[in-house]
Amino acid sequence: MLSALERFAPLPLQESWDNAGLQVGLTETEVSGALLCLDVNEKIVDEAIQKGCNLIVSHHPLLFRGLKTISDLTDVQRTVMKAIVNGICVISMHTNMDNAKGGVNFKIAEKLGLQDVCFFAQKTVEGIEAGSGVIGTLAEPLASDDFVIAVKKAFDVECAMCNELLRRPVQKMAICGGAGDFLLDEALKAGADAFITGEMHYHQYFGYEQRIQICVIGHYQSEQYTSEIFRDIIAKDCPGIRTEIAETSTNPIMYL
């Protein structure tokens, strides 16, 4: 299964600071079931145990940097220990899945019903076409307020953070799931009417009034459908393996 995931989103596509791939466990483990999720914590491991899954496939890595101790001191250490004790492997497909064709940003575009989707911040890594963001068009233009409502509905978000609403229709959309403000200027150069991402710094909102519609929906919310990509890869390349999309919400942010 690991090889199937890495064929779809090769590890060289990950950013230099990332740590995608096998996180915990043995590569030759026979899989009884795979729990698919965005983040890995103790509750996710508990759900895997309850559902009889000995593999967790996540988007965000459990381990970003090395551990000097495995004990009960931190949530990451406790999660690693619980996974090992219960014989559960953990695999993470992070920025390699963000940058892959058909990856996270393509899934976001699919949920929004965009057409003619392609990379707009394109790069080539070891001969592989990749990119940090995608751009596509709506079948019909929308008023900016209707566009925001449509995005909120597609991602089931309680609120969206936007700049001043455009006084013209929007049709061409640029997307970067997660923390995507580094692509805002690239989106503008690509001719996008709107830019959708998961989170942005406060000062990035300034200076784009009536130039591009910014719509920020939350990091977790923007990437929540990544598990569907994992499910489809496994169903295609490893059809005998049972998959379960996690029911546990790992979003640490509450809207009160």
Side-chain angles (χ1 to χ4, degrees), residues 2 22 25-31 54 89:
L2 179 59
L22 181 67
L26 303 176
T27 57
E28 299 302 319
T29 299
E30 184 174 342
V31 180
N54 65 348
C89 295

Side-chain angles (χ1 to χ4, degrees), residues 162-182:
C162 305
N163 62 341
E164 178 182 277
L165 291 177
L166 284 182
R167 294 188 290 272
R168 58 178 170 84
V170 296
Q171 188 168 19
K172 197 171 186 179
M173 312 293 163
I175 295 168
C176 182
D181 56 10
F182 68 100

Side-chain angles (χ1 to χ4, degrees), residues 69-86:
T69 304
I70 299 178
S71 67
D72 61 352
L73 293 177
T74 69
D75 57 340
V76 172
Q77 290 181 26
R78 289 192 297 271
T79 302
V80 170
M81 181 176 288
K82 181 172 283 191
I84 292 172
V85 166
N86 288 279

